[in-house]
Structure formats: structure tokens, C-alpha cells
Amino acid sequence: MGPNFIDYVKFYAKSGNGGAGDVHFRREKFVPKGGPDGGDGGSGGSIILQGNSQLRTLIHLKYMKHVKAENGGNGEGGRCFGKNGENITLEVPIGTVAMNADSGEKLLEILNDQEQKVLLSGGKGGLGNVHFKSATNQAPRYAQPGIEGVENSIILELKLLADIGLVGFPNAGKSTLLSVVSAAKPEIADYPFTTLVPNLGVVKYGDYQSFTIADIPGIIEGAAEGKGLGNRFLRHIERNSILLFMIPSDASDVRKEFQILTNELNKHNPELMDKDRLLAITKSDLLDEELTKELKEQTSDIKTVFISSVTNIGIQELKDELWKLLN
């Protein structure tokens, strides 16, 4: 996904104003007192979001600062209606959430390909005077003005749709695992925060099945308070149905690391605690039997798999366990 992975954009949006209705009377040679025939104004254009499964990022909207839909045309005499303003449709990746930037209120969410939802509705056109004729008022000199469009600052946020989210400190071996089990090619190096963007990998399982894993950049202690880069990425975990915790076998205290990671997630969003979880002890090729036994005892109450991305120990077992949890 690289530096082109943009999961947040903010812009100013305005839907079109409705056109005004017209005050007009029929003028014909032999009809000295023609009745009202002022047409209605057209509706203003709306701003619409549409899901597109080919898109993986919001980068195409990054430089868009203003989005303004067209106003509706005014009505005219002879019952001529004003033209409706053109809608503006913005294509977004699946998993995009739209919010009001000022109030933080969630406006809508796009979860399916080609799904369309109205972000801001255009203003209705006003009625022309043809509508206001009555027994007592044969020549109404009144028509409605159009209703104004809506304007708002909008935030779009993308939350990745992956089946499994990887949770672990930097250097837990998440990117390495992803490169081993899927075709993803994350950039791998040995320092904290190597992964600056979420990587998404598709894992083939059996002949025809697959599932997706998202590597969310390392959560460090205090991420829920926004230290490090944690908070920006935690939102991507909200959609994963399973959390795969990864702790290296050479960690000073596996149990404690698991606790810290769980606390971070809980602070960010307690609902994350309801998800299925699996613990993978990475770099298991470094363990002898005795150490393995010791670690198994430490984590006896957590579903645990011992893996090594280097020697492929436990990789198939890990896939099997994840598949079972998913299904």
C-alpha cells in the first residue's frame, strides 16, 4: 500500500440550492385574464458517495478541498419547470465512513460495492404560482423560493475490511508473517514502526478459499492515548472479526506483553474485547523443549500457536486455527 495509502480526508461540501418558482400569468390574444402558469424551480444537486471495490485508499480525494453541487434552475412561465442541478458522485473504497467534521456525528457508512448513499441532499425547488390558485384567489402573485442546499465540513475515514487483525509491538514479526502467508510485500526492517501504513494480505486456504489479514502498525504502550502512531491505526482493528496477537518467543515476559496489548485495545474501544483472539508465539525456532513447555504453561488459558516464519514451523497450524475461528 505504501505512502499512497490515505485513510483520512477532510473537505468542504455544499449541495445545490433549489431554484425559485415563477410568478407568471398566461398571456394570449383572446384570453384577456389568463390564469397563473408560473413553473416550479428545479431541485439542487445532491452529493452522493458510491462504493467501489477496486479502490483501496482515499488518495484520489486527497487534494479535493471543495465539492459543490449545481443549483437548480428557476421556474418560468408557461408551466416551464427549472432544470434540476447535477448530482456529484464521489467513489470511495468499501469501509468508508463519513462524518460531520464539526460535530463528529457519523453520517453514513459504505459497506458494499456500487452501494450509493446521499451525503448531502440538494435543496427542493420552489413551487410556481400555478399551484396557489384557489376559488378566492384567482391570480396569486406568489411563488415559493427554492430551499437552500446544505453545507458542511466532511471527514471521510477508511476502516479496512479484513477478517483478521494483527496485534503486537513493533518487531513482533507481523510483517514477516504477512509476507510468508500471503502475497503481500511489506517493507521489513528491524526497528520500531517499520510498518507505517496498514498492510493487507490475502491468505489462500485450501484450493478455493481465502481470508484477509491486516497488519496494523505496532501498538506501543500508550497508543490509546495517542502516543506513537497507535491511535491512527487502532480504528482499522475495529472491523476485524478475529485478533491475532503476536509476541516473540524472546520477549522478557510473554504474559505481561499480552496483558499490555489487551489493555491498549480495551482503552481504545472496550468492544474489541468481545472479538475472538488467538496468540501466536513467533520466532519459535529459537526455543528448546523446556522453554516451549514453560511458555505453554504461562499461556495455558489463551489459545496459543507456536510459529516461526523463518522455518515455517506452525504456519499451517496457524492457518487452520484462523480458518476454524472464522467459520
Side-chain angles (χ1 to χ4, degrees):
M1 289 188 176
N4 295 339
F5 179 77
I6 301 288
D7 59 1
Y8 176 101
V9 292
K10 183 177 176 182
F11 59 92
Y12 169 82
K14 183 178 186 313
S15 60
N17 299 331
D22 190 41
V23 175
H24 191 270
F25 297 93
R26 243 167 74 212
R27 305 256 187 280
E28 284 172 44
K29 220 175 183 171
F30 306 109
V31 187
K33 283 208 173 91
D37 70 350
D40 303 348
S43 298
S46 297
I47 294 174
I48 294 165
L49 294 190
Q50 177 172 324
N52 178 342
S53 59
Q54 302 298 302
L55 295 174
R56 286 267 178 265
T57 158
L58 294 168
I59 191 161
H60 59 297
L61 304 177
K62 184 181 172 187
Y63 300 107
M64 180 183 74
K65 293 293 172 239
H66 290 90
V67 183
K68 205 167 173 241
E70 194 180 28
N71 294 332
N74 294 332
E76 291 174 25
R79 298 193 178 213
C80 287
F81 293 135
K83 178 175 154 300
N84 290 336
E86 292 266 330
N87 294 334
I88 289 182
T89 302
L90 303 175
E91 297 214 326
V92 295
I94 294 167
T96 299
V97 178
M99 292 178 294
N100 179 320
D102 302 318
S103 67
E105 178 203 355
K106 178 173 157 182
L107 303 172
L108 60 89
E109 187 165 13
I110 298 287
L111 292 174
N112 300 298
D113 189 35
Q114 301 306 308
E115 172 183 15
Q116 287 196 340
K117 287 189 175 169
V118 176
L119 181 64
L120 299 180
S121 295
K124 273 199 163 61
L127 298 175
N129 70 340
V130 65
H131 294 275
F132 300 103
K133 181 181 173 185
S134 65
T136 51
N137 185 359
Q138 294 290 313
R141 301 197 167 275
Y142 167 75
Q144 286 175 334
I147 293 174
E148 291 213 344
V150 191
E151 46 192 301
N152 263 329
S153 274
I154 301 288
I155 287 173
L156 297 183
E157 264 189 6
L158 174 58
K159 295 182 178 184
L160 288 179
L161 292 161
D163 300 313
I164 292 146
L166 299 182
V167 181
F169 286 106
N171 301 345
K174 300 192 301 297
S175 300
T176 311
L177 175 74
L178 203 61
S179 63
V180 170
V181 296
S182 77
K185 304 252 177 295
E187 190 180 313
I188 299 167
D190 195 23
Y191 50 88
F193 286 130
T194 312
T195 309
L196 295 181
V197 298
N199 285 302
L200 203 57
V202 177
V203 179
K204 290 200 170 20
Y205 187 80
D207 288 339
Y208 304 110
Q209 283 130 337
S210 65
F211 53 88
T212 48
I213 294 188
D215 171 15
I216 291 96
I219 296 173
I220 56 167
E221 272 191 82
E225 283 97 60
K227 279 193 204 139
L229 297 171
N231 226 354
R232 247 194 75 199
F233 299 111
L234 280 168
R235 69 164 166 266
H236 292 295
I237 312 184
E238 289 172 11
R239 289 192 190 278
N240 309 140
S241 54
I242 294 166
L243 301 179
L244 175 58
F245 287 81
M246 294 183 66
I247 298 173
S249 64
D250 54 5
S252 54
D253 186 338
V254 168
R255 186 83 213 185
K256 188 173 166 213
E257 282 207 9
F258 183 73
Q259 221 33 69
I260 292 169
L261 291 167
T262 320
N263 291 346
E264 281 308 328
L265 297 186
N266 192 25
K267 264 188 272 184
H268 170 68
N269 179 352
E271 284 172 26
L272 293 171
M273 296 296 97
D274 302 336
K275 295 180 186 293
D276 284 325
R277 41 182 114 152
L278 181 64
L279 170 61
I281 307 272
T282 63
K283 304 183 187 170
S284 292
D285 51 317
L286 307 176
L287 295 173
D288 57 19
E289 268 181 48
E290 203 174 313
L291 280 167
T292 307
K293 191 170 163 237
E294 206 176 293
L295 283 175
K296 277 187 175 156
E297 282 164 13
Q298 271 186 40
T299 57
S300 57
D301 56 332
I302 311 161
K303 209 178 188 54
T304 306
V305 187
F306 286 78
I307 65 167
S308 161
S309 300
V310 179
T311 61
N312 267 339
I313 296 173
I315 296 293
Q316 190 53 49
E317 188 195 342
L318 175 68
K319 287 187 190 179
D320 294 342
E321 284 297 335
L322 289 171
W323 186 255
K324 260 192 267 177
L325 283 172
L326 275 175
N327 297 284

